[in-house]
Amino acid sequence: MPNKTDPITMDAVYTAPGYLFRRMQQIAVAIFVEECKAHDLTPVQYAALVAIRTHPGIDATRLSAVIAFDRSTLGSVIERLEAKNLIERKPATEDKRVKLLYLTRSGATLLRNIMPSVDRAQARMLQPLKPEDRKTLLALMTQLVDLNNEASRVPLRAEDALEHFRKSS
């Protein structure tokens, strides 16, 4: 007699943590893009601008570690930000091959102007939940991200990157 197994259903997919995380990421990006459309900025571009503002003169490798974004893909993000005149690249004094990233005045202005839109996007993502559930969700997500950091293709290495940055500045 053949071995009968339970049929796989879409319910198994729809309730899986990975599927739910992926869908929430899609929803979060869509909300961010909608709220920030007047500023023509993606969530990754926003994170990069904040990191560059926070750490003027950071190089792309360290920026990748600070925002936990793939270094090879970050190159195109940096190119877009430079094309929009939001950042500028300057050669490092000790090694002209290394380009250091700085926010332009336009970049600083954009960051100031976009904050209400970013705040609205973040609020919209959590708005359907009760306030106490929002806190619980954020605490659990933070815990999951921290505990699973090493499983990421690009683990967050902000401390290492910034420690190196402080030594070189």
Side-chain angles (χ1 to χ4, degrees), residues 35-42 45 84 86 110 113-118 120:
E35 288 293 342
C36 299
K37 66 183 168 224
H39 304 285
D40 188 30
L41 212 58
T42 68
Q45 290 172 346
K84 294 177 181 182
L86 300 175
L110 176 72
N113 293 342
I114 199 173
M115 284 315 302
S117 300
V118 170
R120 274 194 312 276

Side-chain angles (χ1 to χ4, degrees), residues 4-163:
K4 286 192 166 188
T5 60
D6 290 336
I8 298 173
T9 67
M10 286 309 295
D11 285 344
V13 172
Y14 293 152
T15 59
Y19 175 82
L20 293 169
F21 291 144
R22 182 182 66 79
R23 287 289 294 138
M24 194 59 230
Q25 169 64 10
Q26 290 174 324
I27 293 164
V29 169
I31 289 171
F32 184 97
V33 168
E34 183 180 318
E35 288 293 342
C36 299
K37 66 183 168 224
H39 304 285
D40 188 30
L41 212 58
T42 68
V44 172
Q45 290 172 346
Y46 168 75
L49 288 176
V50 171
I52 293 166
R53 182 193 66 193
T54 304
H55 309 288
I58 194 169
D59 64 62
T61 299
R62 285 172 219 359
L63 178 61
S64 170
V66 168
I67 66 172
F69 197 74
D70 179 65
R71 173 63 182 96
S72 59
T73 311
L74 186 61
S76 62
V77 172
I78 291 170
E79 287 173 9
R80 284 189 209 101
L81 292 174
E82 190 175 35
K84 294 177 181 182
N85 192 35
L86 300 175
I87 64 168
E88 58 184 340
R89 292 189 250 198
K90 297 179 183 178
T93 54
E94 65 281 355
D95 184 349
K96 300 291 185 207
R97 296 171 297 174
V98 175
K99 302 298 184 222
L100 306 179
L101 305 171
Y102 297 90
L103 213 55
T104 62
R105 283 189 179 160
S106 297
T109 300
L110 176 72
L111 274 180
R112 277 191 307 276
N113 293 342
I114 199 173
M115 284 315 302
S117 300
V118 170
D119 291 343
R120 274 194 312 276
Q122 301 302 318
R124 273 186 60 195
M125 289 172 209
L126 297 175
Q127 189 279 327
L129 298 176
K130 296 175 191 168
E132 61 273 12
D133 291 341
R134 294 173 198 162
K135 289 178 185 174
T136 301
L137 176 65
L138 290 174
L140 290 172
M141 287 176 64
T142 300
Q143 185 178 5
L144 278 172
V145 168
D146 289 347
L147 294 173
N148 286 309
N149 186 50
E150 295 307 314
S152 173
R153 282 182 339 147
V154 187
L156 181 62
R157 299 276 186 246
E159 296 81 16
D160 294 344
L162 296 177
E163 180 61 29

